[in-house]
Amino acid sequence: MSNTPNANCEDCPVHNLGNLTKLGINMSQFDFVVALAGNPNTGKSTVFNALTGLRQHTGNWPGKTVTRAEGGFVYGNKRFKLVDLPGTYSLLSTSTDEEVARDFILFGQPDVTVIVVDATRLERNLNLVLQVLEITDRAVVCVNLMDEAKRHHIEIDTRRLAKELGVPVVAAAARQGEGISELLQAMYEVVTGSYICRPHRLERTSPRLEKAISELTKKIKEEFPKLPNSRWIALRLLEGDQRIIDSINNGELGNLSRSDTIPSNA
């Protein structure tokens, strides 16, 4: 994996410490935070266990009944906090699980988001991948269950997929521990800036739509200048995402877009 290095990035994690704390994540002993996303039944929990071993614990997201699993590991002399997001098919906020995953990626701004996909159902899983890439430009795709794909005579060109998506793609069979070292390396390269992701974004050809998005994005930036992805919020508003509308009306969006900082030992 290669791309233009980003000097001194190792000392500058991009995560939003204040929002991570609001979302219940303690980063006092960690350098980087990794979000683990994926559809249900992709082997995401197996990947989580392979990365963290026994260094993990569970709890609930603040104000939710949704379970949150966290773990840690050290790689390249850096300490990583891994947060296992609820398994979801999308980030369109039609359920509490989707809302939790969306808010963590959008507002927590993890240093890298690993999206686990099922090699035997790749086309179906790419829907979530593209939605994540709309929110963040720091991602790694883990094509898991490659052993099952091989058994079904399915071949996946991970190099071409990486080129098409603009982010690292790693083939894995987590149950056998295959691809885990490559996944660790890919995550490390993204968080340290030695791999600069240029994620694929869906093209929108309608001039009227682009104009509406541009005008609404400008207004959102004026109201919430610290919001990490105003364009994505604009798209959700244009699509009538009621949870986003409610988060603006009840002040939640403003609260999560504030720039207040919280000490690392909080």
Side-chain angles (χ1 to χ4, degrees):
M1 295 176 191
S2 64
N3 266 6
T4 306
N6 185 359
N8 300 323
C9 185
E10 284 183 295
D11 298 324
C12 305
V14 300
H15 60 256
N16 187 315
L17 183 60
N19 282 348
L20 288 175
T21 303
K22 293 173 188 174
L23 293 167
I25 308 299
N26 184 352
M27 289 295 295
S28 61
Q29 298 180 12
F30 295 90
D31 300 303
F32 299 108
V33 60
V34 181
L36 190 64
N39 289 182
N41 303 314
T42 57
K44 183 165 66 70
S45 294
T46 307
V47 173
F48 178 83
N49 291 333
L51 290 170
T52 64
L54 298 177
R55 297 179 298 278
Q56 55 184 264
H57 69 272
T58 60
N60 282 354
W61 293 91
K64 312 287 184 183
T65 57
V66 179
T67 301
R68 180 183 74 243
E70 297 176 24
F73 59 90
V74 176
Y75 186 83
N77 294 321
K78 294 296 181 180
R79 300 163 300 173
F80 290 76
K81 167 71 70 75
L82 181 64
V83 180
D84 189 14
L85 302 179
T88 61
Y89 293 102
S90 79
L91 297 179
L92 298 183
S93 190
T94 58
S95 70
T96 303
D97 285 356
E98 292 177 3
E99 182 183 8
V100 165
R102 178 205 69 191
D103 285 354
F104 188 82
I105 297 172
L106 179 64
F107 298 117
Q109 296 172 259
D111 298 287
V112 61
T113 298
V114 176
I115 314 150
V116 182
V117 299
D118 181 348
T120 67
R121 297 175 174 85
L122 185 58
E123 184 176 357
R124 182 188 303 177
N125 288 192
L126 284 177
N127 177 52
L128 179 64
V129 172
L130 293 175
Q131 289 183 26
V132 171
L133 295 184
E134 285 285 329
I135 298 179
T136 179
D137 58 2
R138 299 178 302 275
V140 174
V141 174
C142 174
V143 183
N144 194 31
L145 302 175
M146 287 294 289
D147 51 330
E148 292 292 324
K150 183 177 181 181
R151 193 162 61 88
H152 289 88
H153 308 290
I154 298 172
E155 295 184 4
I156 297 174
D157 188 340
T158 54
R159 287 192 176 185
R160 181 175 178 182
L161 186 59
K163 184 178 180 180
E164 293 288 337
L165 293 176
V167 300
V169 175
V170 177
R175 284 178 297 191
Q176 286 76 36
E178 298 175 6
I180 299 303
S181 60
E182 291 82 359
L183 180 59
L184 286 165
Q185 179 67 21
M187 287 188 286
Y188 183 81
E189 291 184 357
V190 171
V191 301
T192 58
S194 61
Y195 188 112
I196 306 300
C197 298
R198 296 181 174 85
H200 171 81
R201 299 280 164 81
L202 297 178
E203 295 182 3
R204 297 171 175 85
T205 57
S206 168
R208 292 179 62 188
L209 176 59
E210 284 298 332
K211 182 180 179 182
I213 294 172
S214 178
E215 292 177 352
L216 189 53
T217 298
K218 181 180 178 181
K219 292 180 180 179
I220 293 170
K221 285 183 177 179
E222 290 173 354
E223 185 69 23
F224 307 107
K226 299 299 181 179
L227 198 64
N229 196 327
S230 300
R231 178 181 171 85
W232 191 85
I233 295 294
L235 284 167
R236 298 284 73 77
L237 289 174
L238 289 171
E239 291 180 357
D241 188 321
Q242 191 58 49
R243 289 182 184 267
I244 290 291
I245 295 171
D246 291 342
S247 70
I248 291 177
N249 291 334
N250 63 25
E252 180 185 7
L253 191 66
N255 182 45
L256 285 171
S257 64
R258 286 169 53 196
S259 60
D260 57 328
T261 58
I262 294 179
S264 61
N265 60 358

